[in-house]
Amino acid sequence: MSGNTFGKLFTVTTAGESHGPALVAIVDGCPPGVPLSAEDLQSDLDRRKPGTSRHTTQRKEPDEVEILSGVFEGKTTGCPIGLLIRNTDQKSKDYSAIKDIFRPAHADYSYHHKYGARDYRGGGRSSARETAMRVAAGAIAKKYLASQGIVIRGYMSQLGPIEIPFKCWDAVSKNAFFSPDPDKVPELEAYMDQLRRDQDSVGAKITVVAEGVMPGLGEPVFDRIDADLAHALMSINAVKGVEIGAGFASVVQRGTEHRDELTPEGFLSNHAGGVLGGISSGQPIVAHLALKPTSSITTPGRSINIAGEPVEMITKGRHDPCVGIRATPIAEAMMAIVIMDQFLRHRAQNADVQVTAPVLPQL
Amino acid sequence: MSGNTFGKLFTVTTAGESHGPALVAIVDGCPPGVPLSAEDLQSDLDRRKPGTSRHTTQRKEPDEVEILSGVFEGKTTGCPIGLLIRNTDQKSKDYSAIKDIFRPAHADYSYHHKYGARDYRGGGRSSARETAMRVAAGAIAKKYLASQGIVIRGYMSQLGPIEIPFKCWDAVSKNAFFSPDPDKVPELEAYMDQLRRDQDSVGAKITVVAEGVMPGLGEPVFDRIDADLAHALMSINAVKGVEIGAGFASVVQRGTEHRDELTPEGFLSNHAGGVLGGISSGQPIVAHLALKPTSSITTPGRSINIAGEPVEMITKGRHDPCVGIRATPIAEAMMAIVIMDQFLRHRAQNADVQVTAPVLPQL
Amino acid sequence: MSGNTFGKLFTVTTAGESHGPALVAIVDGCPPGVPLSAEDLQSDLDRRKPGTSRHTTQRKEPDEVEILSGVFEGKTTGCPIGLLIRNTDQKSKDYSAIKDIFRPAHADYSYHHKYGARDYRGGGRSSARETAMRVAAGAIAKKYLASQGIVIRGYMSQLGPIEIPFKCWDAVSKNAFFSPDPDKVPELEAYMDQLRRDQDSVGAKITVVAEGVMPGLGEPVFDRIDADLAHALMSINAVKGVEIGAGFASVVQRGTEHRDELTPEGFLSNHAGGVLGGISSGQPIVAHLALKPTSSITTPGRSINIAGEPVEMITKGRHDPCVGIRATPIAEAMMAIVIMDQFLRHRAQNADVQVTAPVLPQL
Amino acid sequence: MSGNTFGKLFTVTTAGESHGPALVAIVDGCPPGVPLSAEDLQSDLDRRKPGTSRHTTQRKEPDEVEILSGVFEGKTTGCPIGLLIRNTDQKSKDYSAIKDIFRPAHADYSYHHKYGARDYRGGGRSSARETAMRVAAGAIAKKYLASQGIVIRGYMSQLGPIEIPFKCWDAVSKNAFFSPDPDKVPELEAYMDQLRRDQDSVGAKITVVAEGVMPGLGEPVFDRIDADLAHALMSINAVKGVEIGAGFASVVQRGTEHRDELTPEGFLSNHAGGVLGGISSGQPIVAHLALKPTSSITTPGRSINIAGEPVEMITKGRHDPCVGIRATPIAEAMMAIVIMDQFLRHRAQNADVQVTAPVLPQL
């Protein structure tokens, strides 16, 4: 399989660069009969869109998605769904100055060594712009999964040094940060304003949760659902770490502490993050991602050009000072795509299975 | 693709349970002409083997691997390589008491809900025993990669609360913990002895490093080399988190701090962990894994049986008090398999590419 | 993998129905640095286009393809190439009469039973319209393969009962039938005119040849190059049979007759059709496809509706009386896509291989 | 995916050469709860076995299969099933004379050019010996499909020039030829005896039929069930052509003749061979394969050695004068594997679909 296709049964194939004519995707394997329209996809795209607050990049893209195929009379047909988003606000002249320079912490150097050349405008294929298509495809998965009682939501759990405790889901959509704690928002805004004055950037941590997932999803030994999630989430630009449940905190935990005991009323804890032996247990699936600070900052830095000569590097253009701020919808989308794919794979092999043991209610 | 096959070009397919007749694997896609013998595989298998110290499980398995195909006159032919390891020391009577019980923090509950039944003996397919085949397959990859100047090595970087600084590679093979600091070993031994008396277990952190990797490996956007690594490492039993380079420390880092500047003499740091934009940069690829504490402990715990009735659970049998102790060879193997697969994929598409820009030397 | 993606390394993913907004494709895995423009694709699309002669369907589609991504400054970048063709001449009112009827020899009945409903307009996804995208993708493969000295061409070798001997390649592009014998054309025209008056249709046989293929392409045992070709060609609408080399004539051949002997000057015959043991031998790869007669004919026939009641069926609309007439470019495209994929797969695994035995020249 | 794995959900991975230690396979994706034992596989293996009549190769292999994993208490667990068959009767000294020679119509030349060397003993991986594993894997598929009412059977429909009409299924298992007409057997035996005296070989045609297949199986546009079948059947050694239904006879058929009309009582014919638009229609799926004459014949022929020098070639060893004689179980196995894989893929996507239209009974 190619690197631009994700999934085995519910497959998402994308193409498109930051400054090319358009972004395009083909989503294959969606069951037929699912009500679907461009509006269903647009709301998640709007959550991701640049230019919606002073804290994110100032590029203005309407990001309007068009459905090209796979939907008839308002429902999916089971045939592949083509999606298209035209790029309209490319400012290509912003980038010609860097065409022969490798910007530090960007993909320039590695893309050049892989392909011998690169579309230097705005990061080309390495730009986070391609994630728009992941969000559109993820919206299709979310729609179907909702009909199965599965809900996937995320939030920012840390911005730089500021930890953000979870208060409620309602708060998340009411601020530009996807913060689940409305009281933290002023602190976050002040921090970001200072960051902009410092001409710097900072990392973030995102938490994404899937509730209502039935037990049994996951394809051991290699395509365990947590392995698939790690793959999907680590494939998002700027992600440097992925944890499930207790994650790296498990390192110092004792077995007596980490294990989630079972009672007829349910599990007593969820350090496992909803995954046991690589298979969903019916408990909420909880994942955390670490995003590195934005690479495009206006503070000068040392680098080299393609001849190997030293240069001083200043990035211009319009950039996010914290990529984490727009990452939440992308993480939700990737989790939805994984769970959709695993749902179909499990149904394929095990639709005949009769299970007598009761399913424990969610924690 | 099925869940028991890993890789696109260098593919590893495994089968086998803890208490079945044998473990088996088929490794496909290895280039022809590579010198290979069972001895090449045996040394890594011996590093992983149970029963080699008092700190690991007391099950005695010779883990002798036999090559069934794909090698002729001492060299690979390019045809698929079959591998076989017979199970000899199953003590199946140890497990009949738990056949109707879901042990907490084990895969019993989720396997039961997936398949309707499970091979309850020793964890069946969910047992870490299947990792023997990953190590054997990984040894084939390591052999080929060594001929390309790529070396993959790992060590334990933390045992429970005890952080282990890196001193030297030589130390790693000289103690049962894969500790890179010989001076820490007495402290680790004392800690483990106490853990055994407490009838408990603890987690660990493993670090694995690939050196000599040429720039250009990785298949964006979904099969970035870090995404593939996350998939491969998270698929190892008991892993709950994966980081690349600075990992979760990136969350609090500023962009000016995180970015690895470039000079003609080389990169000035390696927070990226050897991966930029999902493609290798030529710097050492550094990954860390978090392993949860062993689930099989002899301290009683609450659970339920398949009728949903509460039971008190005591695990018997022979178990690792810290699975991290044997995880290092498995992590090395998975990293080798990923890099092998990515190496072939890169060569497939880009063998014609001429790159004039110089490759920066390793940090 | 999904059913709308073909290939392992050079992958082609398509979407789009006969009467939807557009056809779309994503081609992934093309090496970078290949000169490519929409004009390169348009010439093959024009060869396939409907409405170009009185012998093919009268639907007028400009079939203008747009490249959405993957090309920069006139060359491929190595990133996925998105392609778009808008549908402009759908006459949807032609089809409402048949929305609840299963037309015989069409896919209506089987699509209905698979998906529970179907886009009944013009055959929806089952329409041959989707093959436009295969031709566009195949043109990309043809371009790269030409740079490797590989040329892929096809012709009609039989129209109904009329066998067409091969005279020369030049003739093929000079008539509407892709006939390699100019002297046969009047007979073919007369036959087709009579067929239209009879309100009937007939089958055809297409021959497609790849010359200049180096020995060594093919991935035994399952992805032999002839097996891949059979898959690719049988996936074309209306194909009912595929042969390689002597094909079904091999049934009656003696071993002494069938075998292609080798001399230092070359092979003495090519009954093998360029494939030995599933791997290319360096001889021309020769495949033949059998196409069934068009299902959409205006002669009434018996059928049923979705309630299971008998109906009399007359197809209206604009249809090819012989689908074979436009099949040649599609067969060429599929052969190009297979050889491209196999070329990259072979290079991945065997780029290091040194072969001392001489390559025999083509027959 | 690698070339030694077939299938997307029900995947079969094989390894093993003619003269290596063993043949091995891993079958993944089989639903749990299927009763399975080595005896279930052995009967089909015995049908394929060499040395069972004077008309097939005289190599004596017990072909005893061992199940290594994936079965517990007599039923499949859903975990991958490992299979092993030891080679016992290799006569390797038979082949040393040909180690530097390319035998005509064998894979020697193409394997040498692909891998730079080859296991010359008995054809190595190119030998038909590997098909034993396909038959074992196919037996697993057959078992499950039988529980769904699907039966797959084949027979020889032509031996060289002798056409064999279908009389009854009972006859097929009662003679060494898999002839469905008992009256033809003396003629076939006499022909074969003469062939042996002539030191020659001849081709054959096999017909394989799947009955009871529900409508809806097939994954357009590329993984149509007929395309998958063509792939699977063409991948069998010595196959040079595949037809579905009327196959190459469709070329001369009129549309009015070829189309299978529908009535409430059923289809009136089955020229389609059970496949419409690449999806099963519920009618028997009928495929025919053309097998070329055995390449290993004792009549001398011209060839070259690896230095490119001319040699005269006489094959010794123990060979089938007509490979078609043992091909029937292999063709059945491949058809079973395809239908199994397609069955799971269809269930994955379309398990929710409600179809009100009645399913027509089989012709």
Side-chain angles (χ1 to χ4, degrees), chain C:
Chain C
M1 250 177 347
S2 65
N4 289 286
T5 297
F6 187 91
K8 304 277 160 68
L9 286 186
F10 182 82
T11 67
V12 177
T13 304
T14 74
E17 295 94 35
S18 183
H19 286 240
L23 307 175
V24 60
I26 294 174
V27 180
D28 199 10
C30 185
V34 181
L36 193 71
S37 68
E39 289 65 46
D40 292 323
L41 314 186
Q42 201 61 53
S43 49
D44 266 339
L45 280 167
D46 290 344
R47 293 170 72 220
R48 179 204 155 278
K49 214 160 62 174
T52 47
S53 80
R54 71 178 187 278
H55 305 294
T56 65
T57 186
Q58 293 310 297
R59 174 170 172 173
K60 297 283 180 211
E61 283 283 357
D63 272 357
E64 276 173 22
V65 66
E66 178 188 359
I67 294 179
L68 303 177
S69 65
V71 178
F72 180 56
E73 296 181 342
K75 293 187 180 174
T76 57
T77 58
C79 296
I81 300 166
L83 305 172
L84 183 73
I85 295 174
R86 292 276 174 189
N87 282 329
T88 62
D89 192 30
Q90 313 96 307
K91 286 212 174 66
S92 295
K93 58 177 166 54
D94 281 345
Y95 295 98
S96 54
I98 58 105
K99 74 186 205 54
D100 290 325
I101 291 172
F102 298 134
R103 297 167 295 170
H106 286 74
D108 303 351
Y109 179 84
S110 51
Y111 265 70
H112 182 92
H113 279 279
K114 183 172 186 72
Y115 298 117
R118 65 182 218 267
D119 177 351
Y120 56 83
R121 305 166 299 165
R125 182 74 176 148
S126 73
S127 158
R129 184 123 188 78
E130 61 86 3
T131 59
M133 270 310 168
R134 301 190 199 205
V135 171
I140 298 173
K142 274 184 172 183
K143 188 128 205 229
Y144 180 83
L145 294 176
S147 75
Q148 304 291 319
I150 297 173
V151 175
I152 295 157
R153 295 174 291 193
Y155 59 89
M156 178 182 280
S157 42
Q158 190 166 337
L159 175 74
I162 307 171
E163 293 185 27
I164 306 169
F166 180 83
K167 290 287 164 68
C168 61
W169 285 113
D170 281 352
V172 175
S173 57
K174 295 186 168 56
N175 64 84
F177 298 91
F178 296 95
S179 164
D181 181 354
D183 299 332
K184 282 286 184 180
V185 174
E187 187 181 352
L188 302 174
E189 292 184 323
Y191 186 85
M192 289 296 293
D193 288 337
Q194 183 56 45
L195 206 55
R196 237 185 317 280
R197 284 188 293 269
D198 294 346
Q199 291 179 297
D200 212 338
S201 62
V202 83
K205 191 170 80 158
I206 302 296
T207 297
V208 57
V209 183
E211 293 171 302
V213 182
M214 65 288 292
L217 304 198
E219 300 287 321
V221 300
F222 294 117
D223 289 345
R224 295 161 175 228
I225 195 168
D226 46 355
D228 260 14
L229 279 169
H231 188 145
L233 297 172
M234 190 70 87
S235 81
I236 299 172
N237 312 61
V239 173
K240 298 307 287 183
V242 179
E243 300 177 305
I244 304 287
F248 277 86
S250 311
V251 173
V252 300
Q253 283 175 350
R254 291 290 188 105
T256 43
E257 169 188 8
H258 179 88
R259 71 181 172 187
D260 303 317
E261 294 178 294
L262 295 77
T263 72
E265 293 70 43
F267 285 81
L268 296 183
S269 51
N270 192 20
H271 297 107
V275 184
L276 284 176
I279 295 172
S280 60
S281 64
Q283 296 306 294
I285 297 179
V286 183
H288 313 278
L289 315 72
L291 288 111
K292 68 175 190 177
T294 317
S295 308
S296 299
I297 50 183
T298 47
T299 304
R302 278 174 293 181
S303 194
I304 61 172
N305 62 21
I306 64 175
E309 299 158 339
V311 299
E312 192 188 58
M313 189 55 225
I314 298 182
T315 309
K316 294 199 197 300
R318 310 155 289 168
H319 306 286
D320 282 325
C322 175
V323 289
I325 295 197
R326 293 199 290 142
T328 293
I330 307 168
E332 293 174 6
M334 293 314 297
M335 184 177 264
I337 288 168
V338 167
I339 292 176
M340 184 75 204
D341 190 50
Q342 288 281 359
F343 174 89
L344 296 182
R345 293 173 76 177
H346 175 59
R347 180 158 82 177
Q349 187 189 21
N350 302 301
D352 303 331
V353 166
Q354 308 278 354
V355 178
T356 45
V359 175
L360 291 178
Q362 269 196 161
L363 189 69

Side-chain angles (χ1 to χ4, degrees), chain A residues 97-104 108-109 112-113 118 301-313, chain B residues 260-268 281 357-361:
Chain A
I98 57 105
K99 76 186 202 58
D100 290 325
I101 291 171
F102 299 134
R103 297 167 295 170
D108 302 352
Y109 179 83
H112 182 91
H113 279 279
R118 66 183 218 266
R302 278 173 292 182
S303 195
I304 60 172
N305 62 21
I306 64 177
E309 298 157 338
V311 300
E312 191 188 59
M313 189 55 225
Chain B
D260 304 317
E261 295 178 293
L262 294 78
T263 73
E265 293 70 44
F267 285 81
L268 296 184
S281 64
V359 176
L360 293 178

Side-chain angles (χ1 to χ4, degrees), chain D residues 25-68:
Chain D
I26 294 174
V27 179
D28 198 9
C30 184
V34 182
L36 193 71
S37 67
E39 288 67 47
D40 292 323
L41 314 186
Q42 201 61 53
S43 50
D44 266 340
L45 280 168
D46 291 344
R47 294 169 72 219
R48 179 205 156 277
K49 213 160 65 174
T52 46
S53 80
R54 71 177 185 280
H55 304 296
T56 65
T57 186
Q58 294 309 298
R59 174 170 171 173
K60 298 284 180 210
E61 283 285 355
D63 272 358
E64 276 172 22
V65 66
E66 178 188 1
I67 295 179
L68 301 177

